[in-house]
Amino acid sequence: EDQVTQSPEALRLQEGESSSLNCSYTVSGLRGLFWYRQDPGKGPEFLFTLYSAGEEKEKERLKATLTKKESFLHITAPKPEDSATYLCAVQGGGSNYKLTFGKGTLLTVNP
Amino acid sequence: EAQVTQNPRYLITVTGKKLTVTCSQNMNHEYMSWYRQDPGLGLRQIYYSMNVEVTDKGDVPEGYKVSRKEKRNFPLILESPSPNQTSLYFCASSASGQVNTGELFFGEGSRLTVL
């Protein structure tokens, strides 16, 4: 069974204070690892897909990286508008069209 | 505007009273799915559909039914709701080729309370 563990559960940063969110996973044959952003009262919004160890993707202040056991979402010089819950999900080799989500990290960026 | 529309957004009902949460997408997506989101448990898949008349169970299908008679619609049916089905529900869709890239488009969510 695919499993995803995200840490920390909550993270509070000052504006401009860079940090990283962690996503540890256990899957049988990783097809893809995905990051989503979820704002309060909204549905998740797709950010990145990573397929293999060593791969990196960037979007504005966010950078996602992948190893064989975990993924990191690095946030550089965050702004208050980056405050959201960040979700990690995986698709394993035995799970056609099924994503397994972690519980998320609630990020709060104070001005 | 490309979107996934769910209705109702908020609903309070009583145990045993059948209800349907509708989901409609305007992107001509083949794949649609229902998730529930609960504190401490994250998003869990209920049912999914690869195309019209093709549906399959996710991780937590008990107590739910779905149908896919048209490509754009994927209603979630609770025949006899119980309090443990109180949750925030999300519908999602994706083009077939995008499901494996994780690019799901989610609706705004439907908050259901069963008393």
Side-chain angles (χ1 to χ4, degrees):
Chain A
E1 183 180 330
D2 301 342
Q3 290 188 332
V4 177
T5 302
Q6 292 188 245
S7 61
E9 290 185 11
L11 180 63
R12 190 177 293 270
L13 300 173
Q14 288 298 122
E15 185 171 1
E17 179 187 2
S18 301
S19 188
S20 297
L21 313 181
N22 177 263
C23 171
S24 298
Y25 64 90
T26 305
V27 295
S28 176
L30 180 70
R31 288 190 176 185
L33 184 140
F34 319 108
W35 283 97
Y36 281 79
R37 168 190 172 127
Q38 185 175 20
D39 293 303
K42 303 281 189 180
E45 178 184 348
F46 173 78
L47 291 173
F48 302 111
T49 301
L50 301 167
Y51 292 108
S52 58
E55 189 174 359
E56 298 181 352
K57 293 275 179 72
E58 284 189 68
K59 181 179 181 179
E60 295 181 359
R61 295 175 293 282
L62 301 177
K63 179 180 176 181
T65 62
L66 181 65
T67 72
K68 289 188 177 179
K69 293 183 179 181
E70 56 192 349
S71 176
F72 292 93
L73 185 65
H74 306 278
I75 303 174
T76 302
K79 298 182 178 182
E81 53 262 42
D82 293 322
S83 297
T85 295
Y86 290 86
L87 302 172
C88 175
V90 297
Q91 185 178 40
S95 50
N96 283 331
Y97 306 107
K98 176 178 174 291
L99 272 61
T100 299
F101 282 85
K103 297 175 185 178
T105 293
L106 174 61
L107 174 67
T108 304
V109 182
N110 295 317
Chain B
E1 180 188 352
Q3 58 186 6
V4 178
T5 304
Q6 298 178 223
N7 280 295
R9 294 287 315 280
Y10 303 92
L11 179 64
I12 300 174
T13 190
V14 295
T15 299
K17 186 176 181 181
K18 180 179 178 180
L19 68 92
T20 299
V21 185
T22 64
C23 174
S24 180
Q25 49 93 4
N26 63 359
M27 295 168 280
N28 201 37
H29 284 166
E30 295 84 6
Y31 176 91
M32 296 185 75
S33 181
W34 276 103
Y35 287 84
R36 60 178 288 174
Q37 188 173 40
D38 301 289
L41 294 176
L43 276 163
R44 293 178 293 167
Q45 189 179 51
I46 303 171
Y47 270 95
Y48 67 95
S49 169
M50 290 307 305
N51 215 323
V52 176
E53 302 294 357
V54 180
T55 64
D56 208 346
K57 297 178 181 178
D59 292 322
V60 288
E62 296 79 19
Y64 305 95
K65 287 177 59 177
V66 293
S67 68
R68 188 89 181 275
K69 293 182 170 51
E70 304 169 280
K71 196 172 189 179
R72 65 182 294 129
N73 296 323
F74 190 44
L76 179 69
I77 304 157
L78 285 72
E79 293 272 1
S80 183
S82 62
N84 64 12
Q85 292 179 296
T86 293
S87 187
L88 178 58
Y89 292 87
F90 287 102
C91 180
S93 75
S94 181
S96 288
Q98 287 180 312
V99 179
N100 289 327
T101 67
E103 290 188 66
L104 300 183
F105 293 82
F106 282 84
E108 298 277 87
S110 296
R111 184 167 294 281
L112 171 65
T113 301
V114 183
L115 302 176

